[in-house]
Amino acid sequence: MMKQRRASIYKCTQLLWSVLLVLGIWNLPQSALADVNPQEINAIIRTRDIALQALNTRDFAKIQPYLHPNFTITTVDNQIFHKVPEFEKYWNQQFSSSIKDIQMQLKGDTIRTFLTPEIDIASGEAIASFSFKDGKAADMALRWTAVLQKLQDKWTIQSLHFSSNLLNNPVLNAAQQLGRILAVAAGVGGFLLGAVTMLLLRRRTKPRTERI
């Protein structure tokens, strides 16, 4: 009986703390948002637009001044980067195979939460449009989350994370289609090679008829 009572008290205590935590998080952004003026919002949007332009043009020198000293970028394939040259190398490698170009644009409204007047957590949706070297094109839906922090009168990106639906990935689909084509080509090539080899072996082993 005592054990059951203690377990009930423990569960009630956990529930109470959970409710208090949710209420605290719920009320904090409202008070922080009240201290943010429209000029700050415009500055945040300007940082976002510069980052988007840097991705689409592959000119990462533009975004570097707007990155937090300890920034983190997490890509859709779960790779993490903390330095611009490393991410730039990764991004340019995407165009070394079947991809010709990637253009990203935002979709819908941005959900914005201010933890403090100097820290903004933003999230939303985006569309990545892929152009392939074979002339085909495909779109991939993305979700993104960014943490921005104001440093020295400039809004910087502290963290940026992208995610996508792995079951609806045009790059993966293109790779799978290429793999199927290569598999078929390898199968046909192997069959032809085997047929030619058998033909040559038969010619060599065919008994010669002597002339009378």
Side-chain angles (χ1 to χ4, degrees):
M1 182 68 67
M2 290 297 295
K3 291 184 178 179
Q4 293 179 352
R5 183 175 299 177
R6 289 178 181 176
S8 299
I9 294 174
Y10 178 73
K11 290 181 179 179
C12 291
T13 303
Q14 279 189 323
L15 179 61
L16 177 61
W17 280 111
S18 299
V19 172
L20 292 176
L21 180 62
V22 170
L23 290 176
I25 295 175
W26 181 269
N27 292 324
L28 179 59
Q30 300 300 324
S31 60
L33 184 59
D35 298 331
V36 179
N37 56 49
Q39 287 77 14
E40 298 294 344
I41 300 295
N42 292 334
I44 293 173
I45 293 175
R46 185 164 57 251
T47 297
R48 180 200 67 187
D49 292 343
I50 292 174
L52 195 62
Q53 185 181 10
L55 283 174
N56 290 336
T57 61
R58 287 187 267 175
D59 186 1
F60 296 97
K62 296 180 179 178
I63 189 57
Q64 193 158 6
Y66 295 88
L67 294 177
H68 191 277
N70 299 318
F71 81 95
T72 298
I73 296 179
T74 305
T75 59
V76 292
D77 53 352
N78 204 32
Q79 297 197 46
I80 300 176
F81 300 93
H82 302 283
K83 297 180 180 179
V84 172
E86 295 177 354
F87 177 76
E88 185 175 7
K89 180 180 178 181
Y90 159 83
W91 189 253
N92 289 329
Q93 285 176 347
Q94 308 306 309
F95 305 94
S96 61
S97 57
S98 60
I99 301 175
K100 180 181 179 181
D101 188 30
I102 303 175
Q103 291 293 313
M104 191 176 300
Q105 59 181 345
L106 301 183
K107 176 185 176 183
D109 298 328
T110 298
I111 300 174
R112 200 175 300 282
T113 302
F114 285 90
L115 298 182
T116 70
E118 290 79 27
I119 299 178
D120 172 33
I121 299 179
S123 62
E125 299 180 3
I127 295 293
S129 299
F130 290 82
S131 298
F132 297 97
K133 294 179 181 179
D134 61 359
K136 297 181 180 179
D139 293 337
M140 180 170 66
L142 298 173
R143 292 187 181 274
W144 61 270
T145 301
V147 178
L148 296 98
Q149 183 176 357
K150 189 177 182 181
L151 292 177
Q152 300 177 352
D153 296 328
K154 182 184 296 183
W155 281 95
T156 62
I157 300 175
Q158 197 279 331
S159 177
L160 182 61
H161 181 274
F162 290 99
S163 64
S164 66
N165 184 356
L166 295 179
L167 300 179
N168 186 20
N169 189 324
V171 180
L172 181 61
N173 294 338
Q176 290 177 342
Q177 183 177 5
L178 179 61
R180 288 193 292 267
I181 293 174
L182 293 177
V184 172
V188 173
F191 173 78
L192 293 176
L193 179 61
V196 172
T197 302
M198 291 297 297
L199 182 60
L200 292 175
L201 289 176
R202 286 182 179 179
R203 287 185 176 180
R204 289 182 179 181
T205 58
K206 186 177 180 181
R208 297 181 179 179
T209 57
E210 297 181 357
R211 294 182 179 179
I212 300 177

